[in-house]
Amino acid sequence: MDRRVIAVTGIVQGVGFRPHVHGLATRLRLRGFVKNVEGSVLIEVEGEPSTLDRFLHELRADSPPLARIDAVTWSDRPARGEPSFRIELSEGGDEGQVFISADVATCDDCLDELFDPRDRRYLYPFLNCTNCGPRLTIITAAPYDRERTSMAMFAMCPACRAEYDDPADRRFHAQPTACPACGPRLSLLDGSGNPILGVEPLAVALEALRAGQIAAVKGLGGYHLACLANHGDAVATLRARKHRDEKPFAVMVRDLDRARALGEVRDDEAALLAAPGRPIVLVRKRAAIAVAEGVAPGNPWLGLMLPYTPLHHLLVRGLDEHDLVMTSGNRSDEPIAFDDGDAIDRLRGIADLFLTHDRPIHLRCDDTVTRVVAGVELPVRRSRGEAPRPVRLPLPCLRPTLALGGQLKSTFALGRANHAFLSHHIGDLDHYAAFRAYGEAIAHYRQLFGFEPAVVVRDLHPDYASTRYAEDELGALPTLAVQHHHAHIASCMADNGLDEPVIGVSFDGTGYGPDGTIWGGEFLVASYADFRRAAHLRPARLPGGERAIREPWRMAASWLLDAGLPLDALADSVPPASLGAIERMVAQGLNSPITTSAGRLFDAVAAIAGVRRTVSYEGQAAIEFEWLAAGIEPDGAYPFEVETTTEALVLDPRPTIAAVVDDQSRGRAVAIIARRFHSTMVEAIAAVCARLREATSLDAVALSGGVFLNALLTAEVQARLTADGFRVFRHRQVPPNDGGLCLGQLAIAAGRQKLEGGADVSGGTWPGGRDLSGA
């Protein structure tokens, strides 16, 4: 008889791994124990050597559906003569890596019970099992056991305890397990937060929704604001109360058949919709569907999601064929409400009633948003159902590293060894509430993962809220400031497991450059260790600074002036006095910083073409420009120039601007202008990449930055560069926008440690500039 001590690391806590091990060991007639320790699952097992070998093989080959094994290590010990195999209580205090599971949608077995009148959990809104239910949003500390979750306040009844203690039961050690006799309960509040007693909460909420009212519904990671998707007045009221003028709402549908009735759902999109995380998936909208136009005004795409909690399933089935708008419970740009008292305070005046419950949410977590582009997933927002699942780093962080991300679409990441633990989506740190949530989330992740950072990585921008956080809260730690677009490219590289120099195309709205100007249309020759700005968009003035983001006509005027053209193309909708003021601002450089932003170029051309001169959310003009372009076939491209300077190649779009104005003056359809401009950008990117390949011999291209959420641009750039013989890499696990910055920051910190032979990463900035042209 031999005894083996086995350590299993990865996502192995809270996913039924210990019951799985118990079942495997019992079936093979092995003896010993399994338990959670902080950072892994520990197994001590004894039996005949050949049976132990079989145990190890099956352990690796057949794990529970939600588990992800990262490593299995073992060593021999003398046999003790154990009488049986058992599950022992968890213990903490270990220094190993901690892995926490994301929240998981209700499984099919639980759904069968939910709608089975013979089951004791029939219609119970909080049923779950080892294979599904809340995880990240209820955990207060590691390791994952009931007493360290927000379910600790609910003592199990004898029936639930019997299931929990039975190794053969699906709820064996299912920490959030509950039933109507002992678990959380629904309650109903009126629009002012006062309890409505003596009613069945779900039935009254369904009646209110059918009547066109707005309900605040407490979910896994926070509150949703819900109304009927086909009720135009309810949708309009929700928009007005939430102060969300035009940005699209998501729609929850009963099942995949209903999703296919509303959208042109391809097989790969259906697979994403039905994934355990149940993200919002952008699909092409069908014509003449039973969804109010106000849900996604003018938008050819519709964000759909399937129910992911028992309460959601009860809601959508109770509404028969009606679909639900389900949007984050907040006013525009605030973080999602998750605390009950805060939700009542913030959503009072928006919601007509609150469908809530008494299971506390410990951590807010908004919905994940994703889509499929050219057959590959392209994440838009990575959050519930994904966070905090780690992304593997190609190079290890030799010291625990905290990456703080950027200012917009904020996320942060913990880096330990080869793992990057990315946070849920937090939002734009311009808002104090989001900044406070950011600090609270960092503190919680540090406590949850037992993480004490030795190095901090932040964006180079001196005025970002994340920079202030580094200075005020972490000032004693060595800090590395990383250039924004280098982080974008490093994020794409890490997303694809690359460890080689690349040509990086980083197109976005705003990023602080080492020269103090606003970058955003960048071609970098980059590794994790360093980068060189090899080419960029021609600089232009940004009249009014951030105001130009909300009023794209300002950037249009700037580009028209730079091209030596009159401002006549804007005269139909912009007062002459305003145009004159912009002309003076640009000429004098007054409140008009220099930018190479590709995002602002898209805005400018959209404004010239007449798509819209002002926007209600960032990038709206460019997004609608893409919708128009995607609706027609290619129709040629506009001219552009690539100039050679002593420092870098410069992509000059002034010929493009002149041609756009000419088409506009001739009455060319806006959609044709949009299609030609997109084709122009594809040709321009390919031309610059070809020049850089000739100079560097590099054939790998990484595409990153928020502009590459443009599905048409991304698909056609990928196809064109691939046809030109490049190896093209784009994001698959994290978004190309600023939601993926923290991954790139971690990868850069690891690259610098490797470059310096493992030396400590100390303070100061690291803007790059080392010549990698011969790499």
Side-chain angles (χ1 to χ4, degrees), residues 543 547 551 553-554 557 561 567 570-586:
R547 190 170 175 182
E551 300 176 3
W553 68 265
R554 291 171 171 264
L561 293 169
L567 302 184
L570 305 174
D572 62 329
S573 58
V574 182
S578 297
L579 292 176
I582 293 299
E583 194 165 2
R584 290 189 295 274
M585 289 172 67
V586 169

Side-chain angles (χ1 to χ4, degrees), residues 208-224:
L209 287 166
R210 291 191 199 99
Q213 291 189 305
I214 297 165
V217 180
K218 186 177 179 181
L220 275 184
Y223 280 77
H224 282 107

